[in-house]
Each structure stands twice: as C-alpha cells, then as structure tokens.
Amino acid sequence: MNIGVLALQGSVAEHLKMIKSVNKKINAVPVKTIDELASVDGLIIPGGESTTLRKLMDDFDLFTPVRERIVAGMPVWGTCAGLILLANRVEGELPYFSLLDAEVKRNAYGRQIDSFVTEGDFDGMYINMVFIRAPQITRVGDGVEVLAEYDGKPVAVRQGNILATAFHPEMTKDNRVHKYFIGMADSKE
Ligand code: GLN
C-alpha cells in the first residue's frame, strides 16, 4: 500500500516518518505531481499555511486531480491547514476543496505564542493533541462524525473517506492516529 503526503509545504517529513513507523511495508510517498498522486491509496494534506498551500496546489495543477480522487473515495486526512482546505465553509474566505461539511475559523486557537499541547480522547484512544495556530471547527453537518473534542468543540472529525484534525499527531511520538488513517485506506482495498 502507498500512502501519500502532499509535499508542497508544511510538516511533510514528520508525516512520512510516522507512516513508516506504523508498518515498514507501507510506502510513504511525497506527492508533488499527478503521477505521484495516481500511485497512492490515501493522501495526507499536512499542516502548514493554508494560504500558501492553496497557491502551491494551484501552481502545481493539483487542485482538480486531488479533488477528483477525494470525490472518487480516496481516503484523505487533513491536519490543521489541511482541515481548512477540506472544509466547505471558511470564515471570511472562500472554501478550497469544499468537501467536508464543516465550518472553520482560521487561527481561532490563538497566535503562534498560544500554540499548546493538551490531551484527550480520539475515538476511544487517549492521545496528546498539539495545536499550532489551529483552526476551530465551529459547525459540523449531520453526516460528520466527531472523533475528538477540546473545550466542547470538535477537533477531529470524519465524513466517510475524509478525516480532519485541527491538531498535529505527526508532532508527537504516538502513531495511533496515523494507524487509524491507514486503516481507512486498508479497508478500501
Ligand atoms: N494557521 C494556519 C492556517 O491558517 C494553520 C496552522 C497549521 O497548519 N499548523 O493556514
């Protein structure tokens, strides 16, 4: 199985390392081209800066091919900036992929100095959650399952083949959320 990480900007190396730590037989593939995209069974859109990621994806002609793969059922996981790109409403901005029925507010958990680590339940697993200038999920649609909450608000959600987290599991030593995502891709095969 090949799991891709969109490799234009952001926490790419950390995600690739985590994927390999789950199972050495899984290929962790940096994705920058349409051919690389075609080779993967699941894609992680990493954290970074969503404005930059939008621009780079447009420049690399990846918007339509990535969107089409997601619509066709490819498992996708957006962390932080990746969540912003998947949401169908972004406060004060136009949405990008507009595939996840959720509304987000960018940088709502504070500025860089306010980045923080907390812990909580993710689908029955107790994990550390690293927030870095994270977006807040301010509304989710009926078809969206909430997998984790912080301060009474969803911070990890799933809608079918789409997983999104406001926090960064790749910044911890715990690979269980990566394992969860790989499980989504595995059950597609
Ligand atoms: N603040 C970034 C944005 O709005 C997201 C931060 C992150 O991905 N760590 O795009």
Side-chain angles (χ1 to χ4, degrees):
M1 180 164 55
N2 297 332
I3 298 290
V5 180
L6 186 75
L8 302 175
Q9 191 255 336
S11 54
V12 178
E14 292 85 352
H15 274 298
L16 292 169
K17 201 170 143 192
M18 277 299 214
I19 295 164
K20 283 181 206 147
S21 83
V22 171
N23 184 341
K24 286 198 181 60
K25 286 186 203 142
I26 296 170
N27 297 312
V29 183
V31 172
K32 270 198 183 120
T33 66
I34 292 170
D35 286 350
E36 285 159 354
L37 176 68
S39 77
V40 300
D41 306 293
L43 180 71
I44 296 175
I45 304 177
E49 175 58 45
S50 57
T51 315
T52 310
L53 276 166
R54 281 176 191 243
K55 187 177 178 313
L56 290 172
M57 250 188 279
D58 290 346
D59 290 351
F60 282 71
D61 292 324
L62 283 170
F63 172 79
T64 303
V66 169
R67 195 173 190 286
E68 281 175 0
R69 283 295 308 274
I70 301 171
V71 170
M74 174 187 69
V76 65
W77 172 18
T79 54
C80 204
L83 153 67
I84 297 166
L85 298 181
L86 290 167
N88 63 5
R89 277 172 191 271
V90 183
E91 200 182 290
E93 291 177 21
L94 288 174
Y96 194 64
F97 288 123
S98 197
L99 291 171
L100 171 68
D101 191 7
E103 180 165 338
V104 297
K105 188 175 175 194
R106 287 182 66 195
N107 301 324
Y109 287 109
R111 300 174 67 83
Q112 195 81 41
I113 198 160
D114 299 319
S115 295
F116 61 98
V117 184
T118 185
E119 47 197 28
D121 183 77
F122 172 96
D123 195 39
M125 302 182 286
Y126 204 66
I127 62 163
N128 282 322
M129 300 177 186
V130 178
F131 289 84
I132 306 168
R133 299 192 67 209
Q136 205 163 66
I137 302 174
T138 50
R139 185 198 60 83
V140 291
D142 290 342
V144 177
E145 181 188 0
V146 175
L147 298 172
E149 285 184 336
Y150 169 71
D151 208 14
K153 296 225 163 46
V155 289
V157 294
R158 178 164 174 188
Q159 180 188 321
N161 59 316
I162 301 175
L163 174 67
T165 58
F167 55 90
H168 291 264
E170 80 283 7
M171 297 293 181
T172 70
K173 290 195 164 69
D174 183 348
N175 64 14
R176 287 177 297 168
V177 181
H178 287 77
K179 206 176 262 177
Y180 176 94
F181 178 65
I182 288 165
M184 283 169 61
D186 220 7
S187 61
K188 289 284 299 175
E189 291 209 324

